[in-house]
Amino acid sequence: MRSPVVGLDIGTSKVRIVVGEGRDDGMIMITGIGEAESRGIKKGIITDVKLAVDSIRRALRNAEASSHVSIREVYLAISGNHVKAEINNGTVPISNNEDGVTDEDIDRVTEIAGTVNLPSEREKLHVFHRYFFVDNGEPVIDPRGLHGAKLHGEVMVVHFLRSVAQTLINTVRQVPLDIADVVFSGVCCAMSVLTPAEKKEGVLLIDIGGGVTEYIGYVDSVVNCMGVIGVGGDHITSDISVAFNLPMNQAEILKKEHGHYLTEYETSKPRVTLPPAPGFSGRTVNLKSLHVVMNARMEEILQIIKKEIDKFHLLHRLRSGVVFVGGGGRGNGLIELAEKIFGVRCRIGGPKNINGVSRVLEPEYSVGVGLVEYGLKVEGDKKSLLEKIFSCFRRMIG
Amino acid sequence: MTKNRISIIGVGGGGCRLLSLMSSACNDILPLVAVDTDAAGLEMLHNIPVKIDVGGKCTSGFGTGGNVNSGFKCAQENRHILSNLIVDKDVIIIVASLGGGTATGIVPQLVDVARSERVITICFLTIPFDFEGVNKKDKALKAIDEIKRRADMIIVLPNDLLVKGETDGYYNELFDRANDALIKAIICLWKCLSSASYIKLEIPQLLDLAKCSSGICFMSTGEGEEAERAKIALDTAIKSRLTMNGKLLNASPRLLACILGGDDLKLSEIEYISLSLAGLTADITIGTSIDIMFRGRIFLVIFGANEQFIYGKIDDKEKGKDSLKDDMRQGTFQWSSFVYSRYFDEVEPTIIGEENLDIPTFIRRGIKLEK
């Protein structure tokens, strides 16, 4: 067994820490988890450092107690609708006519293609390979050994707002924790939840968190599109809070216990009564109206994603359908609504092919488990071309 | 209803100041009551017959200093005084500026007392300007949430719409004009309810209007002099910022108009106003009253109701869903954005296309909810 790898996912609703180790047979063993309510974070962005530090410390204490290790360094997930992705490309001459395309050619074209003119306030986070073209040939995933004069490479560059990331890093350092690397949370999710077969056949992963919703689509094992929308489960709760004049915590209870995303869902009773609680005098709510409010918001979120993926002509290529993770979209009727909108098979996903603490199989742990997988790959020996994620972050944390 | 069965109660500094301006604006002796926690402020109101200092032990007579809890405590400790104030009344008209401590803390309690004494409450409530900050506005809107559960009718008056003009103006002039309109609106309503008149207003008619929208109503005013005074008053009221240039009038299921004129008020002028408003909505109620101080003039106040009003949405079947987007782009009705976007105040709004996605989807889509 190697030394443990720790993933830190600072979400709008919960801070989650996952501790894992790689086994000699290649499996990942999750040895501990820690979770705490998030405070001082909205839409995936830290709004109050002190509260956020306190939240991380509480999760850390739980994780250390659970895993019986002292945690000093973490792999950190970053999210928020400031994270953007764009496709860029570049061309280099193939250096060696005898051997064809080599790793060095691929590195060079990736470096050129990954050079994007970003505004001064933005920083590059990841560069993903997409397709390669040798001269005017067909797109290929792995061009090594192909012969030709020029190698053209297409990449997806993920970048973020430096100020937001710096606040996140400084917050984690105040805990105190060192940061081994920073990874876009959508990428972590995809690593832990999707299989290579799904990525090859075409799949869209949607993570509905408390503050934001992320999506990442794969076709032919290549990242086809990704994005973040600054709307999440908190917006559904807030809509309920406004519609029925409820405090947010009561709206959350109503959503979880009586919510449904389909307006045509038949309820056994027309109304439900929330009992009084400290600071709350109680309320009776029309259930059909509750479902209407929830349906309106969730449909809007899914339609926005559908519009985005249509730009990449992805919808008709999703042979493995759509996979949902995250706690923000938990609720009855989500899959039925999503299937109506996307017209493909949809399912709730969760981390795969791991052993250990059973709770990490829940969709909410997808990012944390993905961070552990990422960390183990980075620290391990084996890296395939497809899973090589160029982390540009190290320049920033220095 | 006789005049002595209605009281006009000013609460807090803003409400009491309006009362002192009101006393000289009408030929009748108005049943004015000033309630405040600032003893010195009350002392300065020379022309108000009844003045109640509820500051007492809580504030030592120095006011609440903007502290709502202090206002609430003053109301709780003097609940019996508030009850005695209103026990022999059928209706109380409350005037207050929300956002500070006294009115924001006391008005919800006063309305609660009135409810338990079976006294009808009509509240004219101003709320702070946007530039006064989120906290002050938040306090005012939370108070409205509390008040609307027990009040029979609330006329909400955002300062951004009541005071500001289409262009910038002198501070004193703008406030004087706004105060003048508000005072006359209250006097007009009181006279229509309490004076002997051939076209009288009844309380059930007011309550029927308020029931259309959970008690939340809007109002607009207009005044005209000399020739075409009825047309001028009507045009001013219809095009007022308080009705979003008439859109709220179009969308209200019913309207109630009070006309105040002098002894030279003509029947044709009342007919003109009534028929013009009937063109906007099927259900129009008119009340009229006469005051010799208004000779040569007509003052008009229109009250309407709209179920989505407090969320900044016009429930307008003709115009469709885009009207809200247009209004928000033009910034003509931004005050109620605080009602629903407070939770996300600390971060940048999520804007996609031209829509602010922090605003509830059901509001932006104009979706009606069953109760």
Side-chain angles (χ1 to χ4, degrees), chain A residues 257-278:
Chain A
E257 293 183 5
H258 301 284
H260 206 283
Y261 288 111
L262 293 178
T263 54
E264 57 268 32
Y265 179 69
E266 292 292 333
T267 56
S268 56
K269 48 188 177 177
R271 286 181 180 77
V272 67
T273 298
L274 290 170

Side-chain angles (χ1 to χ4, degrees), chain B residues 291-312:
Chain B
D291 189 313
I292 57 168
M293 284 180 72
F294 279 77
R295 183 179 292 161
R297 294 182 283 157
I298 284 179
F299 180 83
L300 170 65
V301 57
I302 305 173
F303 298 100
N306 194 296
E307 199 166 342
Q308 302 288 325
F309 170 63
I310 196 165
Y311 301 116

Side-chain angles (χ1 to χ4, degrees), chain A residues 102-121:
Chain A
T102 60
D103 281 333
E104 288 75 26
D105 293 324
I106 292 169
D107 286 347
R108 279 190 300 119
V109 80
T110 303
E111 194 179 332
I112 289 171
T115 304
V116 290
N117 276 331
L118 293 173
S120 56
E121 65 269 19

Side-chain angles (χ1 to χ4, degrees), chain A residues 279, chain B residues 11-12 35-37 54-59 63-82 98-113 139 142-143 146-147 149-150:
Chain B
V11 181
V35 175
D36 205 349
T37 54
V54 293
K57 289 177 197 165
C58 291
T59 68
T64 58
N67 186 325
V68 179
N69 289 334
S70 186
F72 175 83
K73 211 174 156 202
C74 290
Q76 289 285 79
E77 286 183 4
N78 292 280
R79 205 171 159 98
H80 58 290
I81 293 177
L82 296 177
L98 298 180
T102 300
T104 315
I106 290 177
V107 173
Q109 293 298 306
L110 178 56
V111 164
D112 186 53
V113 168
K139 279 197 290 185
K142 276 183 182 152
E146 272 303 308
I147 294 166
R149 290 197 193 116
R150 288 171 179 78

Side-chain angles (χ1 to χ4, degrees), chain A residues 191-357:
Chain A
M191 287 185 78
S192 69
V193 171
L194 301 178
T195 63
E198 284 173 328
K199 289 179 185 176
K200 189 170 170 52
E201 287 187 349
V203 67
L204 176 67
L205 177 68
I206 298 177
D207 178 2
I208 305 179
V212 299
T213 297
E214 297 167 356
Y215 60 92
I216 183 165
Y218 288 83
V219 175
D220 296 333
S221 308
V222 160
V223 175
N224 178 274
C225 62
M226 70 166 69
V228 183
I229 304 163
V231 177
D234 281 357
H235 284 80
I236 302 169
T237 309
S238 172
D239 287 5
I240 294 170
S241 166
V242 168
F244 305 106
N245 197 17
L246 296 169
M248 282 290 281
N249 62 338
Q250 292 294 329
E252 187 70 23
I253 291 170
L254 189 63
K255 179 176 89 173
K256 283 186 174 149
E257 293 183 5
H258 301 284
H260 206 283
Y261 288 111
L262 293 178
T263 54
E264 57 268 32
Y265 179 69
E266 292 292 333
T267 56
S268 56
K269 48 188 177 177
R271 286 181 180 77
V272 67
T273 298
L274 290 170
F280 175 60
S281 54
R283 193 87 76 245
T284 298
V285 170
N286 180 303
L287 280 178
K288 184 149 173 65
S289 295
L290 170 66
H291 301 161
V292 164
V293 169
M294 291 177 65
N295 168 268
R297 178 61 82 171
M298 185 56 76
E299 185 176 357
E300 182 176 58
I301 293 172
L302 298 179
Q303 291 286 6
I304 290 170
I305 295 172
K306 186 180 174 207
K307 198 172 162 192
E308 287 303 308
I309 65 173
D310 272 347
K311 293 176 189 169
F312 297 90
H313 312 293
L314 182 62
L315 203 54
H316 64 278
R317 296 191 282 169
L318 295 177
R319 283 181 293 162
S320 288
V322 179
V323 180
F324 284 90
V325 294
R330 282 268 209 193
N332 299 314
L334 171 63
I335 296 303
E336 291 91 327
L337 178 64
E339 285 180 344
K340 271 191 195 177
I341 288 170
F342 291 111
V344 296
R345 185 172 51 93
C346 300
R347 65 178 179 86
I348 303 287
K352 285 178 152 48
N353 300 324
I354 52 170
N355 293 317
V357 178

Side-chain angles (χ1 to χ4, degrees), chain B residues 270-282:
Chain B
I270 299 171
E271 186 182 27
Y272 171 78
I273 290 171
S274 183
L275 289 176
S276 301
L277 288 175
L280 298 176
T281 182

